[in-house]
Amino acid sequence: MANTDTVSVRVFSLNCWGIHYLTKHCHERFTMIGEMLCKEEHDIVLLQEVWSEKDYLSLKKKLACSHPHSHYFKSGVIGSGLAIFSKHRIHDTFIYRYSLNGYPYMTHHGDWFGGKAVGMAILNIGSLIANVYVTHLHAEYCREKDSYLPHRVVQAWELQQFVRNTSVGADVVILGGDLNMHPQDLGSRLLRSYTGLRDSYLETAQFDGCENGMTLIADNLFINKKDLVPFEKGIRIDYVLFKGSSKTNVYCDSMSTTKGSVPGHPFPYSDHEALTVELRMESHTPPEAGRHKQSKDQDSAAEKVAELVNTVTEARTEVKVGLHCAERMRYTATRTGVMGLALLFLELAIAAVPWLALGAEQPFPRTSFYLLAALCFAILVTTSLLYIFYTMELKSLQEAEDEMRLALGSLQERLRGFPLAQAHNCSPEAQEPIAFEPEE
Amino acid sequence: MANTDTVSVRVFSLNCWGIHYLTKHCHERFTMIGEMLCKEEHDIVLLQEVWSEKDYLSLKKKLACSHPHSHYFKSGVIGSGLAIFSKHRIHDTFIYRYSLNGYPYMTHHGDWFGGKAVGMAILNIGSLIANVYVTHLHAEYCREKDSYLPHRVVQAWELQQFVRNTSVGADVVILGGDLNMHPQDLGSRLLRSYTGLRDSYLETAQFDGCENGMTLIADNLFINKKDLVPFEKGIRIDYVLFKGSSKTNVYCDSMSTTKGSVPGHPFPYSDHEALTVELRMESHTPPEAGRHKQSKDQDSAAEKVAELVNTVTEARTEVKVGLHCAERMRYTATRTGVMGLALLFLELAIAAVPWLALGAEQPFPRTSFYLLAALCFAILVTTSLLYIFYTMELKSLQEAEDEMRLALGSLQERLRGFPLAQAHNCSPEAQEPIAFEPEE
């Protein structure tokens, strides 16, 4: 019989809603969070929306004994808001900043300034190598008319690429964060099916928390119930996902969420609920993995590839919609810029012609002249900046679409059963649906 | 005896200098490049500075038979300029855009608009998985006073992170491109020593090309000799780097460069010289790798870690210099913005007070009033944009510095001989200096 070695870890994830002066009781809530984390002593703490570095530093100070290792991921104008605290030594960190993240002029949404990203930390848990990811995707402000959907889909695409390509050597992969997507949303499906990551809420043996694992609930004091419509009770948008490897099986023994209030405190930690997940990792010697691999159902694998082809096709369509919108926006910016330029020339002509031809007194009222000129300049500068921004958006969307097209070609070839050698993102575990294996 | 299986590949790399209307004979040179590539039939072609998508598409059409698989990496405003053509099927592509890449207002340099990045393609060569990277780093415009050095060092840092973390499952790693760094420059050393990538010029069994492997030479028709001073003969800034894995040894059998002219043509392919490298890959069964591993010199490994500690420390110092500069620039922008605002208030006060107090005629000449107000607004808008840009630059520099500090801690702990479990970027090959191995 193969040797087995079992380790358990407790993982915590919370969107801290940490915007000073804008979110309620921010300082007090961070104090509560710090005290709770210090007491609970989770192995890995994944935080989002820690927008102020001061809050991170005060948490770091408070958790110096319980979580001696930490990293705060910096990005964008305000910072990515992502932080990780760990009992286990962090050997390496790496940040991937999403290429698309809203629009700078949507200041009331503010996502662009946050520089959304995925942060990775490599740590050792016992003898196992764990790749831990923390992320926060662009918010969904209006589900019916979600203008940020292409951006979020591209973020989900880049997230799965990053996780898939950087986690090959890991025994355990853990991803936590606020994905701002419902479980059956396109981006969620894309992420789970391409990476083989499993949802701890669906996998857990024991669950204690909100109905349907919801993490944004009507019962939370900070939630405006109107914002949740048409999901009166709440939605599930925060996740802890995980997977093992050929040498390690991972099981979710228990999962819990906070339930909108904290006993002994007048308000909850955040407007999101916190997740706590207990994972059990069993490492085994390769022979067992070999048997496991042989018993794998080829039909089921083909089915999963077919499902992935559909999901990627759907994502590609969404990116194409985004491309169409960005092209239209760039066209509008260009047209407005040209009109501004034309207006400026017209103004100069009106002012100059009588003066040149007749040597007469300036017919244009000075005030109007300068105001109009300033307006034209403002239009030109603004539209130039917008043109640059939309061009960059287009390039990112095109790149994602190209990558999706190439990936689809590769997946379809696999579906048709042509021999394809093993791509290195493979793992022989059954939970890995998209393993490219040598077909010998 | 272990089984061995040998495959050879020919890799080509060229910075194409493809800026239409600005670079000489651009169209003709791309025609020449296309014809040569079609004839030479290299396995992998890595191109940089293909700034126009039209040029990529015409190359793609021309190389449809010889190189059926290709990808053009899109990024920034103009595009990353990176392209890959391959005889072997590309399964997956991924782009990492460098977080720092010059300044948008340095339009005469233009690097910012290029959206410099590293592109990755995963392909199968026979039964081997090859991770192929193509990149182009920020140019060096003045070696004595190189204001872009911190940006290039951060790019080199991000490049090594990306390569190291995404290539774990690969049998062969090949990186080609214009690094804009001399072989002994900080960024080059950082990249080679952290990733274990080997320089084909230093490793090749046979060499036919320019003296010292130079790729930007005085003998090239397009080169202004004054720009090369103090390196009269030229410099080496284009590379093909490679490494194997625990299952594959890689050898460089031959390397050649163009020599400033192309026989039968009136001008060279580009202002850079092209590199052609022939790599031989020998895969072997793990037992041999095991023996190889055991024979590894522990002292030499420690020496290499010590050297890496020095290199990362040096890089960290350079990033700190960049941080200091960015902070100063942001301070200047803030101060100028505040002065613009003060000037605006002053103007409004001068204009309003007599009018309010005395009900007198407006004493401020209208023309001056509007011109001054427009100037104040222009100052405010410009400094606000600069403030946002410098803050983002600061965040990226801080992130790189934090990552370096964390990596240094991990490396130093390893140097002190404390038990550290195996980080997954390890490879037991001797050319891998920074393998974290279990110390049992």
Side-chain angles (χ1 to χ4, degrees):
Chain A
M1 189 176 155
N3 298 326
T4 61
D5 190 10
T6 303
V7 194
S8 282
V9 285
R10 284 173 71 224
V11 183
F12 176 89
S13 176
L14 174 65
N15 177 325
C16 297
W17 199 42
I19 319 169
H20 281 274
Y21 311 115
L22 285 177
T23 58
K24 290 172 191 164
H25 308 291
C26 193
H27 181 71
E28 294 89 333
R29 288 190 292 105
F30 269 107
T31 309
M32 279 164 60
I33 292 169
E35 280 164 8
M36 178 269 295
L37 291 176
C38 199
K39 199 181 107 205
E40 288 285 333
E41 294 200 4
H42 307 89
D43 291 85
I44 299 163
V45 174
L46 305 172
L47 302 180
Q48 305 95 50
E49 291 212 21
V50 185
W51 294 120
S52 158
E53 197 175 350
K54 272 187 191 161
D55 287 327
Y56 164 73
L57 291 172
S58 84
L59 280 177
K60 188 177 160 143
K61 204 173 161 188
K62 204 170 268 175
L63 304 179
C65 291
S66 60
H67 299 83
H69 311 287
S70 67
H71 189 77
Y72 183 55
F73 295 94
K74 290 171 184 130
S75 158
V77 184
I78 312 171
S80 70
L82 305 171
I84 175 169
F85 291 89
S86 167
K87 274 185 171 182
H88 310 273
R89 185 179 246 293
I90 299 173
H91 288 294
D92 211 349
T93 51
F94 190 22
I95 185 170
Y96 183 93
R97 295 163 180 93
Y98 298 125
S99 66
L100 293 172
N101 186 35
Y103 305 94
Y105 52 79
M106 300 297 271
T107 43
H108 58 300
H109 288 167
D111 291 68
W112 185 85
F113 292 86
K116 300 282 171 78
V118 47
M120 176 182 87
I122 299 177
L123 34 101
N124 287 100
I125 303 174
S127 61
L128 299 174
I129 300 161
N131 274 31
V132 179
Y133 301 86
V134 55
T135 192
H136 184 193
L137 267 56
H138 197 292
E140 183 186 79
Y141 294 98
C142 170
R143 197 163 173 86
E144 276 65 53
K145 212 180 165 183
D146 182 11
S147 54
Y148 298 113
L149 184 57
H151 284 211
R152 210 178 306 102
V153 169
V154 170
Q155 289 185 343
W157 174 258
E158 291 175 350
L159 175 59
Q160 68 79 16
Q161 278 188 312
F162 185 70
V163 171
R164 209 160 38 88
N165 284 299
T166 56
S167 66
V168 180
D171 298 307
V172 190
V173 180
I174 299 167
L175 186 153
D178 175 3
L179 299 185
N180 271 313
M181 301 185 292
H182 298 209
Q184 283 313 309
D185 282 358
L186 174 57
S188 298
R189 285 181 282 130
L190 188 66
L191 174 65
R192 285 198 316 269
S193 56
Y194 225 142
T195 57
L197 283 167
R198 292 146 66 201
D199 187 344
S200 45
Y201 172 69
L202 300 176
E203 302 276 336
T204 185
Q206 270 194 310
F207 178 75
D208 174 29
C210 301
E211 194 185 334
N212 301 322
M214 290 181 305
T215 59
L216 212 59
I217 60 169
D219 290 342
N220 186 304
L221 199 75
F222 299 131
I223 293 285
N224 184 345
K225 280 155 198 68
K226 281 181 199 157
D227 293 344
L228 288 176
V229 172
F231 306 95
E232 281 77 17
K233 286 188 173 176
I235 50 177
R236 184 158 80 95
I237 56 173
D238 299 81
Y239 301 82
V240 172
L241 308 174
F242 65 92
K243 70 170 180 175
S245 69
S246 59
K247 291 186 289 174
T248 315
N249 290 334
V250 185
Y251 306 95
C252 182
D253 283 342
S254 75
M255 180 182 180
S256 64
T257 72
T258 51
K259 294 170 189 172
S261 60
V262 181
H265 287 282
F267 41 78
Y269 297 123
S270 166
D271 62 341
H272 285 241
E273 301 309 312
L275 313 181
T276 307
V277 171
E278 189 157 348
L279 300 174
R280 178 167 41 90
M281 289 142 359
E282 284 184 9
S283 54
H284 48 69
T285 45
E288 187 175 343
R291 283 204 300 278
H292 191 91
K293 189 174 174 175
Q294 278 160 20
S295 70
K296 188 169 155 184
D297 188 352
Q298 288 288 326
D299 288 350
S300 145
E303 239 172 59
K304 280 174 177 167
V305 176
E307 188 197 318
L308 185 61
V309 167
N310 290 339
T311 313
V312 176
T313 308
E314 207 180 319
R316 202 179 153 200
T317 309
E318 199 49 62
V319 172
K320 278 182 181 167
V321 172
L323 266 169
H324 182 74
C325 283
E327 265 163 11
R328 214 179 44 208
M329 305 267 266
R330 190 171 70 167
Y331 174 73
T332 306
T334 313
R335 204 178 49 182
T336 313
V338 169
M339 280 163 62
L341 196 66
L343 193 62
L344 188 65
F345 279 126
L346 192 70
E347 186 193 4
L348 291 175
I350 292 172
V353 170
W355 178 70
L356 284 176
L358 313 170
E361 189 67 11
Q362 177 58 265
F364 216 121
R366 277 198 177 173
T367 314
S368 315
F369 180 84
Y370 288 113
L371 279 179
L372 194 58
L375 179 72
C376 292
F377 269 113
I379 289 173
L380 278 177
V381 171
T382 311
T383 51
S384 302
L385 291 176
L386 284 175
Y387 183 88
I388 290 175
F389 182 83
Y390 289 132
T391 306
M392 289 169 77
E393 187 189 6
L394 272 171
K395 290 276 172 200
S396 293
L397 286 163
Q398 283 166 352
E399 175 63 28
E401 208 249 305
D402 287 351
E403 286 171 359
M404 286 172 185
R405 196 187 56 228
L406 193 141
L408 274 173
S410 197
L411 288 169
Q412 277 161 345
E413 188 141 334
R414 173 149 173 75
L415 255 192
R416 284 196 296 271
F418 287 132
L420 277 185
Q422 184 173 14
H424 82 278
N425 54 350
C426 88
S427 156
E429 273 205 319
Q431 72 241 37
E432 298 286 285
I434 315 309
F436 290 95
E437 281 152 29
E439 300 182 8
E440 286 156 350
Chain B
M1 189 177 155
N3 296 326
T4 59
D5 190 9
T6 304
V7 194
S8 281
V9 286
R10 283 173 71 224
V11 182
F12 176 89
S13 176
L14 173 66
N15 177 325
C16 297
W17 199 41
I19 317 169
H20 281 275
Y21 312 114
L22 284 177
T23 58
K24 290 173 190 164
H25 308 291
C26 193
H27 181 72
E28 294 90 332
R29 288 189 293 106
F30 268 106
T31 309
M32 280 165 61
I33 292 169
E35 282 164 7
M36 178 269 294
L37 291 177
C38 200
K39 199 181 106 204
E40 288 286 331
E41 294 200 5
H42 307 89
D43 291 85
I44 299 163
V45 174
L46 306 173
L47 302 179
Q48 305 95 51
E49 290 211 22
V50 186
W51 295 119
S52 158
E53 197 174 351
K54 272 188 192 160
D55 287 326
Y56 165 74
L57 291 172
S58 84
L59 280 178
K60 189 178 159 140
K61 204 173 160 188
K62 203 169 269 174
L63 304 179
C65 291
S66 59
H67 298 83
H69 311 288
S70 67
H71 190 76
Y72 184 56
F73 295 94
K74 290 171 184 129
S75 158
V77 184
I78 312 170
S80 70
L82 305 172
I84 174 168
F85 290 90
S86 167
K87 274 186 170 181
H88 311 273
R89 184 178 247 295
I90 300 173
H91 288 295
D92 211 350
T93 52
F94 190 23
I95 185 171
Y96 183 93
R97 297 164 179 92
Y98 298 124
S99 66
L100 292 173
N101 186 35
Y103 304 95
Y105 52 79
M106 300 297 272
T107 42
H108 59 300
H109 287 166
D111 291 66
W112 185 86
F113 292 87
K116 300 282 172 76
V118 46
M120 177 182 88
I122 299 177
L123 35 100
N124 287 100
I125 303 174
S127 61
L128 299 175
I129 299 162
N131 275 32
V132 179
Y133 301 85
V134 55
T135 192
H136 185 193
L137 267 53
H138 196 292
E140 182 187 77
Y141 294 98
C142 171
R143 199 164 171 84
E144 276 66 52
K145 212 179 163 182
D146 182 11
S147 53
Y148 298 114
L149 183 58
H151 284 210
R152 209 177 308 101
V153 169
V154 170
Q155 288 185 344
W157 175 257
E158 291 175 350
L159 176 59
Q160 69 79 15
Q161 278 188 313
F162 186 70
V163 172
R164 208 159 40 88
N165 284 299
T166 56
S167 65
V168 180
D171 297 308
V172 190
V173 179
I174 298 167
L175 186 153
D178 174 4
L179 299 185
N180 271 313
M181 301 185 290
H182 298 210
Q184 283 313 310
D185 281 359
L186 174 58
S188 299
R189 285 181 283 131
L190 189 66
L191 173 64
R192 287 200 313 271
S193 58
Y194 224 142
T195 58
L197 284 167
R198 291 146 66 199
D199 186 345
S200 45
Y201 172 68
L202 300 176
E203 301 276 335
T204 186
Q206 269 192 312
F207 178 75
D208 175 30
C210 301
E211 195 185 335
N212 300 323
M214 290 182 304
T215 60
L216 212 59
I217 59 169
D219 290 342
N220 187 301
L221 199 74
F222 298 132
I223 292 285
N224 185 345
K225 281 158 197 65
K226 280 181 200 159
D227 293 344
L228 287 176
V229 172
F231 305 96
E232 281 78 16
K233 286 189 171 174
I235 51 177
R236 184 158 82 92
I237 57 173
D238 299 82
Y239 301 83
V240 172
L241 308 174
F242 65 93
K243 69 171 181 174
S245 70
S246 59
K247 292 185 289 176
T248 315
N249 290 334
V250 185
Y251 306 94
C252 182
D253 284 341
S254 73
M255 181 183 179
S256 64
T257 72
T258 51
K259 295 170 189 172
S261 61
V262 181
H265 287 281
F267 41 79
Y269 296 122
S270 166
D271 63 341
H272 285 242
E273 301 309 312
L275 313 182
T276 306
V277 171
E278 189 157 347
L279 299 174
R280 178 166 43 89
M281 290 146 349
E282 283 184 8
S283 54
H284 48 70
T285 46
E288 189 177 342
R291 283 204 300 278
H292 191 90
K293 189 174 173 175
Q294 278 160 18
S295 70
K296 186 168 157 185
D297 189 351
Q298 287 290 325
D299 287 351
S300 143
E303 239 171 59
K304 281 173 177 168
V305 175
E307 188 197 316
L308 183 62
V309 167
N310 290 339
T311 313
V312 176
T313 307
E314 206 179 322
R316 203 180 153 198
T317 308
E318 199 49 63
V319 172
K320 278 183 182 168
V321 171
L323 266 170
H324 182 74
C325 283
E327 265 164 10
R328 215 179 43 209
M329 306 267 264
R330 190 172 71 166
Y331 174 72
T332 306
T334 313
R335 205 178 49 182
T336 313
V338 170
M339 280 163 63
L341 196 66
L343 192 62
L344 187 67
F345 279 126
L346 192 69
E347 186 193 5
L348 291 175
I350 291 172
V353 170
W355 179 71
L356 284 175
L358 313 170
E361 188 69 10
Q362 175 59 264
F364 216 120
R366 276 197 179 175
T367 313
S368 314
F369 181 84
Y370 288 113
L371 279 180
L372 193 59
L375 179 73
C376 292
F377 269 113
I379 290 174
L380 277 176
V381 171
T382 311
T383 51
S384 301
L385 291 175
L386 283 175
Y387 182 87
I388 290 174
F389 182 83
Y390 290 132
T391 305
M392 289 168 77
E393 187 189 6
L394 272 171
K395 291 276 173 201
S396 293
L397 286 162
Q398 282 167 351
E399 176 62 27
E401 208 249 305
D402 286 352
E403 286 171 359
M404 286 172 185
R405 195 188 56 227
L406 193 140
L408 274 174
S410 198
L411 288 169
Q412 277 161 346
E413 189 142 333
R414 175 152 170 73
L415 255 192
R416 284 196 297 271
F418 287 131
L420 277 184
Q422 185 174 14
H424 82 278
N425 53 349
C426 88
S427 156
E429 273 205 317
Q431 72 241 37
E432 298 284 287
I434 315 308
F436 292 94
E437 280 152 28
E439 301 183 6
E440 285 156 351

